[in-house]
Amino acid sequence: AGTLLVSLLTLPVCLAGGFSPAVLGEFFCISVLMLLFFYGFATLCAQLTGNILILPVVYGILNFVAVAVDFLLHLVLGYFVYGMYRDGMVSDLACYLSPAVGMIARLDVDSIYGQTPQGEYVVRQVVFRGWDLLLIYAAVGILCIMAALLLFRRRKMESAGDVVAVDFLRPVFRWCMALGCGLCLACLMQAILYWSQNAASSFSTLLVFFLLGAFIGWFAAEMLMKKTFRVFGKKSWAGFGICCAVILVLMLGMRFDLFGYERHIPKAEQVKSVSLSCSGESALLTEPENVARVLELHREILADKALNQDPEHARMDLHLSYELKNGLHMDRSYPLAYWYDLNETGELGLVQDLLNCAEATAARKEIDVPV
């Protein structure tokens, strides 16, 4: 009703500006689809907790949690995982799983201009981009409403006032609190204390603060759910011990590359294009021979890991971004040691050759305005 009222009030302005009323019809549909998702999502959140003060906190966190976790994970792992790309960007998947961010980042309006007989450029048409994504979000909103109804019918009346009103979600809440607090504390303390330290000291510091944050989050969750400070029993300590073991396995696994992240290089036949940037210069390469040279450069960078990570050397940052033929992207960022030599050899020499190859040079000469 509110959206319909706004549309009717805007109608005179729309007609005075020479636009078709169909634009307002689009606006109405877009707004209703958005509201359908957010209403459904909020309704589901309202069934997850029985505490009216916790409800807006849960709703707000779940709207942004995927983007926050993606950003913090890249920030933490970037301190000690060789090649981890951390520049403040988040993945497409994280954007889609954070609805508020996904809509801001992926929905857009294009204005199509035309020229009047007097030579003036005016807006002829306004086109909305993102109907498919918006329809998916609206469908998810309907599913959230259905799930909320099922939870409402099964929820116990005595759960009113509980932080977590659904029994089977209590362990999930406990683990999310522990891992989330651990991740946040590790990022915060690393930024304050050891911003420029080497990988070894970064890892040990991060691990200590990660475990400390997990301790705070685990027992804070217990206190919130049980509504008491007496939560330090054997069962709670046993659960926290399992949580610490999981953190150690994951952190040590990334530190010593047990999952193969650092040494992974895509195969030449899998790569559609590769973008590299270094010291403010960039190039997009698609020719097979240039892609093969980038892969060779990548292998040499991995072989010289100790040298490139040595804090005694001056370093430049190289960013590689592979676009794979299956539609996925692979990003890596490496520090490259150099010696202020105009005739650089090694990795920087290869980077210089790639940035000045025929394909990269031709791309730099291209302009957006047709001549």
Side-chain angles (χ1 to χ4, degrees):
T3 305
L4 180 61
L5 179 61
V6 170
S7 301
L8 294 175
L9 291 174
T10 314
L11 181 59
V13 180
C14 181
L15 295 175
F19 288 95
S20 168
V23 174
L24 286 179
E26 286 190 60
F27 161 76
F28 177 79
C29 293
I30 292 167
S31 300
V32 169
L33 290 174
M34 285 183 177
L35 290 170
L36 183 59
F37 168 78
F38 286 112
Y39 172 79
F41 190 53
T43 304
L44 178 60
C45 291
Q47 299 306 316
L48 301 180
T49 178
N51 191 309
I52 192 64
L53 298 178
I54 298 296
L55 170 58
V57 177
V58 171
Y59 177 67
I61 290 176
L62 292 181
N63 259 294
F64 298 95
V65 66
V67 165
V69 169
D70 186 84
F71 173 76
L72 292 177
L73 274 178
H74 280 82
L75 190 63
V76 167
L77 297 177
Y79 283 110
F80 61 88
V81 176
Y82 190 52
M84 178 66 73
Y85 187 49
R86 53 188 183 94
D87 69 339
M89 300 296 290
V90 294
S91 67
D92 290 339
L93 179 60
C95 284
Y96 293 137
L97 293 178
S98 297
V101 178
M103 289 187 184
I104 292 173
R106 301 294 182 253
L107 303 183
D108 198 9
V109 175
D110 291 340
S111 297
I112 299 176
Y113 289 84
Q115 194 172 13
T116 65
Q118 292 76 27
E120 297 180 358
Y121 283 92
V122 295
V123 178
R124 293 295 191 189
Q125 188 179 2
V126 178
V127 180
F128 175 71
R129 309 291 185 189
W131 280 110
D132 51 349
L133 180 62
L134 203 54
L135 288 170
I136 291 173
Y137 276 130
V140 172
I142 294 173
L143 293 177
C144 287
I145 294 173
M146 296 169 63
L149 178 60
L150 293 175
L151 287 175
F152 174 75
R153 288 177 172 175
R154 296 175 60 90
R155 202 172 77 165
K156 300 175 182 177
M157 292 298 294
E158 58 268 24
S159 65
D162 290 349
V163 172
V164 182
V166 184
D167 291 340
F168 69 86
L169 290 179
R170 290 175 180 269
V172 177
F173 176 71
R174 195 181 293 115
W175 277 84
C176 288
M177 280 284 289
L179 297 177
C181 288
L183 193 59
C184 291
L185 186 63
C187 285
L188 177 63
M189 299 309 297
Q190 181 71 10
I192 293 174
L193 300 177
Y194 292 98
W195 185 263
S196 60
Q197 294 296 309
N198 58 38
S201 64
S202 293
F203 177 75
S204 57
T205 304
L206 282 168
L207 187 56
V208 169
F209 285 117
F210 206 127
L211 294 174
L212 178 60
F215 169 81
I216 296 172
W218 185 274
F219 288 101
E222 289 280 5
M223 293 175 188
L224 286 171
M225 289 189 295
K226 295 182 178 180
K227 302 177 184 178
T228 178
F229 293 106
R230 298 179 180 179
V231 295
F232 298 98
K234 291 182 179 180
K235 188 175 180 181
S236 295
W237 279 109
F240 176 64
I242 296 173
C243 180
C244 289
V246 171
I247 292 173
L248 286 170
V249 169
L250 294 177
M251 292 285 281
L252 291 171
M254 293 301 295
R255 175 69 178 88
F256 297 103
D257 199 29
L258 299 181
F259 307 114
Y261 178 89
E262 290 186 7
R263 59 182 182 272
H264 176 64
I265 300 176
K267 296 179 180 179
E269 59 270 18
Q270 296 176 326
V271 179
K272 180 180 179 181
S273 67
V274 56
S275 171
L276 70 158
S277 59
C278 184
S279 189
E281 298 294 337
S282 61
L284 177 64
L285 306 173
T286 58
E287 296 178 1
E289 58 271 22
N290 290 329
V291 171
R293 292 168 67 189
V294 173
L295 295 174
E296 181 60 32
L297 166 66
H298 199 160
R299 281 187 282 270
E300 292 197 19
I301 291 172
L302 295 182
D304 288 338
K305 175 181 176 180
L307 175 64
N308 289 327
Q309 285 189 319
D310 188 351
E312 299 298 324
H313 288 294
R315 294 176 291 180
M316 285 185 180
D317 289 327
L318 170 70
H319 175 219
L320 299 175
S321 179
Y322 296 96
E323 182 183 359
L324 306 181
K325 292 179 180 178
N326 59 8
L328 299 178
H329 287 79
M330 173 180 161
D331 292 282
R332 294 292 187 271
S333 183
Y334 298 102
L336 299 184
Y338 71 98
W339 291 264
Y340 299 100
D341 186 351
L342 292 178
N343 298 311
E344 284 284 357
T345 57
E347 284 91 47
L348 273 180
L350 290 174
V351 171
Q352 190 165 255
D353 291 341
L354 285 165
L355 289 173
N356 291 302
C357 70
E359 184 182 12
T361 304
R364 281 196 293 272
K365 291 180 180 179
E366 292 181 358
I367 58 176
D368 295 330
V369 180
V371 177

